[in-house]
Amino acid sequence: MKANKKHILRKRRIISPLTIRIMAVNLFALIFLGVGVLYIDQVQNTLLQSRIEELVKDANIMAGALGESATGGPDSTELLLEPTKNILTRLVGVTNIRTRYFGVNYDLLIDSRDLNINQVIVENTMPKELGIEDFWEIINREVGVLLDKIQKRDELEEYHEVEDETAEDYPELLDALAGEESSRMRRLDAERNIITVAVPVQRFRRVLGALMLSADTGDIYAAVQDVRLIIIQFFCAALLITLLMSLFLAKTIVRPVLRLARSADHISLGGKTDIPDLSFRNDEIGDLSRSLKDMTEILEKQIDAVASFAADVAHELKNPLTSMRSAIETMEYAKSEDDIKKLRAIIGEDVKRLDRLITDISDVSRLDAELSHAQLAQVNLTALLETLVDIYLTTQQDTLPNLILDIKKRRFKGKDGKPAPYMVRGLEGQLGQVVRNLLDNAISFSKKDGNIWLRLSRRNNMVEIIVKDEGVGIPIDKLDNIFDRFYSERPKGEAFGKHSGLGLNICKQVVEAHGGEIFAENRMDESEKVIGAKFVVLLPLSDD
């Protein structure tokens, strides 16, 4: 009992494990959104690389134009500043990219920012202060920081504008003045980077100077951040919907199951709580509720039946025990040998009666288990009845009344052309016991020169077995009671206790377990006089 109570207490959890599983399954799909955020970051890197390649291409075009057009002549090894400024003004006006030209002596000679061009100037800016209305932007920024930590991105050096800058302030320019293309990315602020590309300006493979192009990546980051923000918003909405759906499933699935489980536990501890009726639900939980309710009702009937059976058994065992005790107590006062013999005979009969009762009770108990666990099979009732009649005619031919077997031929013919047998699905041993009990009952009420009829026929889709005798019949008010446990209505002159009163009850149990029906009637003559008893057994016909 203590273990059961602990078991019930364990079920009262704050959060149901099934609810957690439902949420886990539903949240699993959201992992793909997280993967999508990582993929967006990869797209960002691809866009940055494309931007670098575009800058290198633009720088090479500018450097090529300067090398061909801004020199003093075919043999010149220096660029003329005025033509260089004019060319850069036209080209930068188209590309809108900050461009700087450094000479071979590392000095800054031209900066497009100083030219008369409507150009966006990149400057160091402080991150703007965000208010409550920028909640999503804050989340977006924090996600970006988190991705930086997860992906372990390289720390970029800070970009600073240098006064009186020279080529030595930029490593990529030193590479360009050495004749190689070079690029670098630097951190401008929390949301933007600066890409610088440096290429050599050459004429006849001789380096005349270097061009450095600088571009802000703010537009790329802004586009990526917008997409990431959309994904984050969608993720939050999907998360909220998933949680609400999980709670809804928990309410419609977990709670009813817990109610059913706790009701079942309460009943197992001896309580009288009814199983919640959820049969209105057209789903598996409704089926479970109906099944538990039906099972509980069957168990209650079984328990009541066991209690009633135990009471009946105690009552029936008490009678012979009381008789034996009286005989034993009286034996002490018996004076003659004849009285002692009579008392011994009474004790012997009571012992036989006890043995018969115990045997029949054991048969009834074993019968319930066999009917519950045995596998049904096809039973040939035609052959069964023929065999039983042969056994009775062989073993009881001296005391047996006239036993008449009547098997009605079926219209349906078997493969060999003979009438097909009557087949039912059941247990051959138990069905044979039903017929034996009915025949024994008829024999006990019949005279030696009387008749007993055993007929096998078909009634609609049922097999009908009829046992008729020429006995005294059955009292009208006892036609239903004769199938009760330990009920016995015996013929006059029969010794008391010769029958336990369980035979017909066993017949009823077996027939009902096979989906059939059994009932009793009185046989009447033309003057409505009782001329015998008639027992009818109906069993479902099976021709499989």
Side-chain angles (χ1 to χ4, degrees), residues 62 65-66 69-70 82-92:
M62 292 181 181
L66 293 176
S69 305
E82 287 302 322
T84 300
K85 288 182 180 180
N86 294 332
I87 293 174
L88 288 180
T89 299
R90 295 190 185 95
L91 294 177
V92 173

Side-chain angles (χ1 to χ4, degrees), residues 398-494:
D398 296 332
T399 59
L400 185 70
N402 185 25
L403 181 57
I404 303 169
L405 176 62
D406 179 17
I407 299 178
K408 299 297 182 182
K409 293 183 179 181
R410 299 184 63 186
R411 296 179 180 177
F412 173 70
K413 301 290 185 179
K415 294 181 180 179
D416 55 359
K418 297 181 180 180
Y422 291 93
M423 304 294 294
V424 297
R425 189 166 182 79
L427 303 175
E428 185 174 6
Q430 279 68 28
L431 293 175
Q433 185 178 7
V434 170
V435 178
R436 288 197 303 272
N437 289 352
L438 294 178
L439 288 176
D440 290 341
N441 185 75
I443 292 171
S444 67
F445 282 92
S446 299
K447 298 179 181 178
K448 187 178 184 302
D449 57 350
N451 294 315
I452 296 176
W453 293 271
L454 176 61
R455 189 176 74 175
L456 180 64
S457 61
R458 176 172 181 171
R459 182 193 289 187
N460 299 324
N461 61 339
M462 306 289 283
V463 178
E464 183 181 58
I465 302 174
I466 298 177
V467 178
K468 298 188 293 185
D469 61 47
E470 294 179 329
V472 296
I474 305 170
I476 299 298
D477 58 340
K478 301 298 183 181
L479 288 175
D480 295 328
N481 298 105
I482 60 174
F483 294 103
D484 292 342
R485 192 181 292 123
F486 296 113
Y487 178 86
S488 181
E489 187 76 28
R490 308 312 307 166
K492 294 181 179 180
E494 185 179 273

Side-chain angles (χ1 to χ4, degrees), residues 217-270:
T217 61
D219 57 337
I220 295 177
Y221 284 117
V224 172
Q225 291 291 78
D226 289 342
V227 174
R228 184 183 292 162
L229 182 60
I230 292 174
I231 294 177
I232 292 174
Q233 291 174 341
F234 182 78
F235 176 85
C236 293
L239 178 62
L240 178 61
I241 294 173
T242 299
L243 293 177
L244 292 177
M245 291 298 296
S246 299
L247 293 176
F248 172 76
L249 288 175
K251 182 178 179 180
T252 57
I253 296 176
V254 177
R255 289 185 183 178
V257 171
L258 284 178
R259 287 179 60 196
L260 293 173
R262 288 170 182 168
S263 298
D265 287 335
H266 190 74
I267 292 173
S268 67
L269 294 177

Side-chain angles (χ1 to χ4, degrees), residues 98 100-111 113 159-177 186 196 198 209-212 214:
R98 183 181 180 184
R100 282 169 280 187
Y101 171 66
F102 291 81
V104 292
N105 57 356
Y106 298 170
D107 294 333
L108 175 61
L109 300 179
I110 301 175
D111 187 346
R113 188 174 59 178
Y159 177 82
H160 298 286
E161 290 287 338
V162 181
E163 293 184 6
D164 300 327
E165 57 188 355
T166 65
E168 293 178 342
D169 295 322
Y170 303 98
E172 59 268 35
L173 277 173
L174 297 178
D175 294 337
L177 291 173
R186 295 177 177 83
T196 57
L211 277 179
M212 186 173 73
S214 303

Side-chain angles (χ1 to χ4, degrees), residues 40 61 165 176 218 220 248 260 273 298 320 370 417 485 502 506 532 540:
I40 289 296
I61 292 174
E165 57 188 355
I220 295 177
F248 172 76
L260 293 173
T273 302
I298 292 173
E370 290 176 353
R485 192 181 292 123
L502 290 174
I506 291 175

Side-chain angles (χ1 to χ4, degrees), residues 137-151:
E137 293 185 10
I138 296 175
I139 293 180
N140 201 3
R141 180 184 301 173
E142 293 301 323
V143 170
V145 173
L146 180 61
L147 291 177
D148 289 340
K149 294 180 179 179
I150 294 176
Q151 298 183 352

